[in-house]
Amino acid sequence: MTTAYERLRDRSAVHIWRGRSPDTLAPGDTDPLSEEERQRVRRLPDPAAVRYAAAHAALRRVLSHYLGVPPGEVVLGRRPCPRCAHPRHGRPRIEWPPTDLDFNLSRSGPHWLLAVVVGHRVGVDLEGDRSLDVDGAAELVMSAPELAHVCSRPDESARTGAFLRCWTRKEAVVKAIGVGVITDLRPVDVQPSQDGPVLVEHTEPNSPDTWLVQDLPMVDGVFAALAREAGAAGPVEIHRYEELVPSLETGVLVA
């Protein structure tokens, strides 16, 4: 492991990496991808293919920063779903090299966000500020207190912001658990009237019941939130992916 991994572990920290996918891919941009990922890129239309390839290549490069192996040698898989135990439904994980590093990736348009921790679960979500039917969507995913908070906002822009704050917090929790979109989000009350961090309770099989949830700084109109196990209260450090780019040509990224 690298000194970056040791610092992350010793401080019980969460490292957040922010990035933005380019409009086109340059030669070598897809080199770290697995064959399965390359096949998916070939099936996707542009610009979705470029955004998927760039984000997943960046994911592997960031993980190599902590693992001390070349990005293309990192083997990714999934944990079994906590509800149905299906191996394709659960949280992503690192299958090789052996490690207790945990991560979660979220993408919205060209933007991506990656959370990395050691020894516990983490979830992250980001959503672009976009036009949507807030009233209709809120009724489908909000608890009664959340719905009252969103509807009490003074104008459409404020209601949209309140909705996206709720949505990203909820998605961060269910992504940390590993149940995703199959979850009824209404019982996941994320207390949007509180700036946070807030404690959110949600019970699923073989998962913690309480999560520490907080908003992340909004950049370029993108809302984001982080969820981690309630007992994990180390610092949250935010980095730009561009900080690592000068080191990429060396192959293995070290601190």
Side-chain angles (χ1 to χ4, degrees), residues 136-148:
E139 291 182 358
L140 296 176
V141 299
M142 301 293 170
S143 67
E146 292 169 338
L147 189 59

Side-chain angles (χ1 to χ4, degrees), residues 15-174:
H15 286 180
I16 302 292
W17 292 91
R18 290 185 179 272
R20 183 184 177 101
S21 300
D23 294 331
T24 59
L25 294 173
D29 280 356
T30 61
D31 288 351
L33 298 182
S34 68
E35 181 55 33
E36 181 180 354
E37 289 167 330
R38 293 172 192 271
Q39 290 177 5
R40 181 167 182 179
V41 170
R42 289 192 286 268
R43 292 194 300 266
L44 290 171
D46 286 336
V50 172
R51 292 171 176 175
Y52 174 90
H56 283 258
L59 161 67
R60 290 174 172 277
R61 289 176 176 129
V62 172
L63 293 180
S64 76
H65 177 60
Y66 301 95
L67 299 172
V69 300
E73 294 183 12
V74 177
V75 179
L76 302 178
R78 286 191 177 274
R79 302 180 188 277
C81 172
R83 287 190 181 181
C84 68
H86 196 288
R88 299 292 293 178
H89 294 170
R91 303 181 68 250
R93 68 176 177 182
I94 300 166
E95 295 188 348
W96 193 91
T99 182
D100 54 358
L101 197 74
D102 190 78
F103 72 95
N104 197 239
L105 174 70
S106 183
R107 299 187 295 123
S108 179
H111 302 281
W112 59 265
L113 196 66
L114 173 66
V116 185
V117 297
V118 174
H120 61 87
R121 302 187 194 187
V122 68
V124 71
D125 188 61
L126 80 164
E127 297 289 338
D129 185 5
R130 62 188 188 278
S131 60
L132 48 82
D133 177 9
V134 169
D135 294 339
E139 291 182 358
L140 296 176
V141 299
M142 301 293 170
S143 67
E146 292 169 338
L147 189 59
H149 173 76
V150 171
C151 293
S152 70
R153 299 303 88 191
D155 54 46
E156 182 178 355
S157 176
R159 287 193 293 276
T160 298
F163 174 85
L164 290 174
R165 179 185 228 185
C166 285
W167 178 262
T168 53
R169 287 183 179 187
K170 288 171 181 280
E171 281 290 296
V173 170
V174 298

Side-chain angles (χ1 to χ4, degrees), residues 237-250:
E237 303 174 8
I238 299 177
H239 304 275
R240 294 182 299 108
Y241 176 61
E242 291 76 10
E243 296 172 14
L244 285 180
V245 171
S247 304
L248 295 181
E249 294 181 358
T250 64

